[in-house]
Amino acid sequence: FSGIGIAIFASDLIVKSVIWLNGTWQEAWIALGAFGLLTVWYCIHILSFDKTVKQEALKHKFDISIFSFFVIVLTVAYFTEGVGFVVQATFLPDIINSIEGLEGYGGYTWMLVGIAAIPSTIILMRLAHIYGSINVIIISMLLQVVGILLPTLTTNIYLNLLSGALYGGTFAGLVALFMHLGGKIAKHNPVVLMGAFTTAYGIGQVSAPLYSVALVEMTGSYDWALYVTAAIVTSGALLLFFTKKHYINR
């Protein structure tokens, strides 16, 4: 998961370096493509170490009982996190650049997203071990809501940079937290439950940009898109808060 943050940070550095050398956005795009080819080659190289397919994996029958009331709530909450993830992933630099006085700062905010994402999973998983997965998920989602709302509340550069840091510090960690918790709950059927989680997350990713674009076109700003997104993510956190008594184990 740290690789996501490293990639965001590295790609931003590459683009900034090309532009600093008076390059065009097309040349920056080509440089990113070349960097991508190098990293893909390395992935292929390390995956070639073990070519033996292990056949002794145990298979378990699908048991619908794993979809308890709490698991359904958890799936809905992960859908809301998919919404929160994709709106900032898609629009954050443009949101910052659209704020009066902050034109050109979108790239710096995106760089902070990458820096914050690098240690986020390790930190949040460690906190989950101490304080419980559900509690850390709820707090992380609420912190993400703060980051979503900050650009609508202030034009202060530091607070808007904090918006990027809060996003980077939560989105990857939340994926790890949900998947880890889902694996613990599912026991012998982790693939089925994680598949349901991923489907819900994907639906959030597809639907959120649609209403965001519609609201931006209607209002002329990102504010209402961010309000709606914050409300959706908050609803997911509240659902977990009021139903966490149905899940006793950490």
Side-chain angles (χ1 to χ4, degrees), residues 123-196:
I123 294 170
L124 292 182
M125 290 298 290
R126 180 59 183 168
L127 290 174
H129 179 72
I130 300 171
Y131 300 108
S133 296
I134 302 299
N135 294 325
V136 177
I137 286 173
I138 292 169
I139 292 170
S140 298
M141 291 179 75
L142 293 177
L143 285 173
Q144 191 174 94
V145 168
V146 173
I148 292 169
L149 290 175
L150 277 174
T152 71
L153 300 173
T154 179
T155 59
N156 182 278
I157 177 58
Y158 299 108
L159 290 177
N160 279 281
L161 289 174
L162 176 62
S163 172
L166 288 174
Y167 172 60
T170 56
F171 82 89
L174 279 165
V175 172
L177 288 166
F178 272 97
M179 288 298 176
H180 174 71
L181 182 57
K184 288 173 63 178
I185 294 172
K187 295 181 181 178
H188 299 310
N189 289 290
V191 174
V192 174
L193 204 154
M194 290 181 181

Side-chain angles (χ1 to χ4, degrees), residues 190-203:
V191 174
V192 174
L193 204 154
M194 290 181 181
F197 279 7
T198 303
T199 299
Y201 196 79
I203 293 171

